[in-house]
Amino acid sequence: MNDSTRDIQALIDLMARLPGLGPRSARRAVLHMIKKRGLLMAPLADTMAHVAATARECITCGNIGTSDICDICTDDRRATGEICVVEDVADLWAMERAQVFKGRYHVLGGTLSALDAVGPEDLRIPRLIDRVTAEGVTEVILALNATVDGQTTAHYIAEQLEDRGVSITSLAQGVPIGGELDYLDDGTISAALKARKRF
Amino acid sequence: MEWRDQGALLAVRKHGETSVIIEAFTPAHGRHLGVVRGGVSRKIAPILQPGAQLDLTWRARLDDHIGSFTVEPIRSRAAGVMADRLALAGLNAVTALLSFSLPEREPHPALYQRSITMLDLLAHADADAWPLAYLRWEMALLEDLGFGLDLGRCAVTGTRDDLAYVSPRTGRAVSAEGAGDWADRLLPLPQCLLGQGPVSALEIMDGLRLTGHFLQNWLAPSLGDRPLPEARARLAGLLARHGGTGS
């Protein structure tokens, strides 16, 4: 490799570390950006530099934004008394994409895990309990993954909030929209049958 | 190298972007690790929940390689316990203790059978039966790993009657008469572990303190003095809050 291509190779190597990209796809992406230098690469570099300098976790809910308190937490219209507890920022963004929840969120930053030695003190559970008291919360919606670790965490949070006079709910589990029974695992079918509703 | 066996899934760890490394407890190959390619996919991830019964095919070029698993679901147990706080804690305790204590690739067929029975009881959320079964399962775990308690006769007098304590040093039963003034230094022996009398909440908690003592002081030091899995303490705490029963 000579000096003229070393920087480009360094960029390819960095891009290849991103999720979903390998060396070949990173090379294609870099080549595409170089071809669209003015249209894509320069604005991308500027935006990345800006986000790198300003991105931070919201001190209230754990969402990622560019200010200390995120837009959701500062929006008075979202002070509905409902907090939706999610495992990760990606889950919060998924909920926001659906545009059905109008309350606020709380990002735990993971789940309890015996295997990885993640305990309650490693998550944002104490902060959640503080918020429930301080923000006059009436309902905590546990939107955690339907996995053993996710539900263990949900039960733990429910225990911690038991005596705080707050309604605790969780997302339903069952057949996804567009799902075919034949392709579902027996656990999902079992959960769906248990949670059946009058038609 | 290739083998096919059934097994209960103990743990799953992410490996790269799309694969996972699973730990399964099988009758013929003991606790065995292997990579499941595509294990984070929407199709396979729901199958790979701790406690699940799987049909496993393991392949590797050499025996000492980690190898890869092909998995087929036999039955899921997670769905049966997820809504039940105590049963879920029980499932976590069983899988965490097995993962913590079993050596890799060493078969324990008797313990495997007991563990499967235990997991099935939890999956059916049989609240009346599983706390005592769990206690007996911990006894079986200790015994299978070479730390069995001797509850057959009194270590002091030799009698088989009136056994009321266990020596924390030797793990042998002691009768009320044999204990004498030393009774307060011994661990209470719940009569339900001798198959006598009804199972009370107090006895379950005494039993968990008894097995917990030997897990902590005998088993854990032999494994490099690692702390016992948090899941076991959580189960004991929940059972204490619910009066020692699974309901």
Side-chain angles (χ1 to χ4, degrees):
Chain A
M1 187 191 306
N2 55 37
D3 284 349
S4 65
T5 56
R6 185 172 293 133
D7 290 345
I8 294 172
Q9 186 57 46
L11 180 59
I12 292 170
D13 292 345
L14 282 171
M15 293 280 286
R17 291 193 207 167
L18 297 177
L21 292 185
R24 281 173 70 95
S25 43
R27 205 173 299 131
R28 281 178 57 208
V30 168
L31 193 59
H32 181 77
M33 285 195 294
I34 290 170
K35 284 179 179 171
K36 307 260 179 185
R37 199 177 311 181
L39 202 64
L40 188 62
M41 199 171 196
L44 181 67
D46 289 346
T47 310
M48 283 179 80
H50 178 68
V51 170
T54 57
R56 68 198 74 175
E57 271 188 7
C58 170
I59 54 174
T60 305
C61 72
N63 188 13
I64 290 177
T66 53
S67 54
D68 284 339
I69 301 180
C70 71
D71 294 345
I72 296 173
C73 289
T74 51
D75 186 348
D76 288 339
R77 288 170 302 177
R78 303 196 70 143
T80 58
E82 293 170 337
I83 283 188
C84 180
V85 180
V86 293
E87 180 183 325
D88 196 64
V89 175
D91 300 329
L92 187 157
W93 290 352
M95 293 285 290
E96 280 297 281
R97 276 200 308 273
Q99 297 185 339
V100 287
F101 180 64
K102 301 297 178 195
R104 288 177 174 161
Y105 293 94
H106 191 84
V107 181
L108 292 177
T111 51
L112 299 175
S113 169
L115 191 67
D116 300 323
V118 179
E121 66 284 352
D122 300 312
L123 305 175
R124 297 167 57 89
I125 294 175
R127 179 79 185 104
L128 171 66
I129 293 163
D130 291 346
R131 285 186 70 190
V132 166
T133 312
E135 295 181 21
V137 172
T138 53
E139 182 177 357
V140 174
I141 302 164
L142 299 171
L144 298 173
N145 293 337
T147 59
V148 167
D149 283 348
Q151 293 308 298
T152 300
T153 310
H155 283 300
Y156 179 82
I157 293 170
E159 276 166 42
Q160 301 302 307
L161 296 174
E162 244 167 22
D163 304 325
R164 293 180 186 263
V166 60
S167 167
I168 302 164
T169 56
S170 67
L171 295 188
Q173 292 161 6
V175 185
I177 302 296
E180 294 177 37
L181 288 181
D182 191 26
Y183 288 96
L184 293 183
D185 63 292
D186 55 351
T188 305
I189 291 176
S190 161
L193 194 63
K194 278 183 188 167
R196 68 188 180 274
K197 60 181 183 181
R198 193 165 292 281
F199 189 68
Chain B
M1 310 298 303
E2 180 172 337
W3 54 256
R4 187 175 175 185
D5 204 351
Q6 274 200 20
L9 184 67
L10 302 182
V12 184
R13 283 187 188 88
K14 250 190 114 175
H15 177 64
E17 275 185 54
T18 56
S19 301
V20 293
I21 294 176
I22 64 167
E23 262 179 61
F25 184 24
T26 65
H29 301 90
R31 184 173 71 93
H32 206 293
L33 277 74
V35 176
V36 177
R37 304 203 187 284
V40 298
S41 69
R42 284 187 200 174
K43 188 179 159 200
I44 299 183
I47 296 167
L48 299 180
Q49 291 299 309
Q53 192 72 12
L54 301 172
D55 182 282
L56 300 156
T57 305
W58 179 80
R59 290 185 190 88
R61 194 168 61 80
L62 297 173
D63 192 40
D64 55 356
H65 284 180
I66 189 168
S68 62
F69 278 124
T70 309
V71 298
E72 286 280 338
I74 295 174
R75 69 181 169 280
S76 161
R77 297 188 178 94
V81 301
M82 273 188 189
D84 184 332
R85 185 179 301 180
L86 275 164
L88 183 58
L91 183 135
N92 278 329
V94 171
T95 53
L97 271 176
L98 286 171
S99 174
F100 169 79
S101 57
L102 290 178
E104 265 189 69
R105 302 188 181 193
E106 185 181 288
H108 290 267
L111 181 64
Y112 172 82
Q113 285 307 331
R114 287 199 79 126
S115 302
I116 295 302
T117 307
M118 183 65 232
L119 289 169
D120 284 341
L121 266 178
L122 287 163
H124 293 117
D126 190 345
D128 293 331
W130 77 254
L132 177 60
Y134 177 81
L135 198 51
R136 291 184 182 281
W137 174 82
E138 281 197 348
M139 296 278 291
L141 176 72
L142 282 166
E143 184 161 349
D144 221 84
L145 295 173
F147 301 104
L149 309 186
D150 178 3
L151 306 182
R153 61 174 64 228
C154 174
V156 181
T157 64
T159 180
R160 292 178 184 277
D161 302 322
D162 200 21
L163 300 174
Y165 301 99
V166 176
S167 162
R169 266 178 14 103
T170 65
R172 295 180 68 189
V174 181
S175 64
E177 184 192 353
D181 294 340
W182 295 85
D184 58 349
R185 298 190 186 188
L186 302 176
L187 297 163
L189 170 60
Q191 297 303 294
C192 60
L193 281 180
L194 301 172
Q196 296 168 8
V199 184
S200 70
L202 193 64
E203 290 209 321
I204 293 291
M205 295 318 300
D206 277 347
L208 285 175
R209 268 190 288 277
L210 178 71
T211 51
H213 173 84
F214 293 105
L215 287 169
Q216 183 73 59
N217 295 291
W218 282 7
L219 179 65
S222 74
L223 300 170
D225 241 346
R226 287 180 291 150
L228 286 180
E230 182 63 30
R232 199 231 175 234
R234 180 170 152 73
L235 172 66
L238 278 174
L239 281 170
R241 284 179 56 190
H242 287 77
T245 64
S247 51

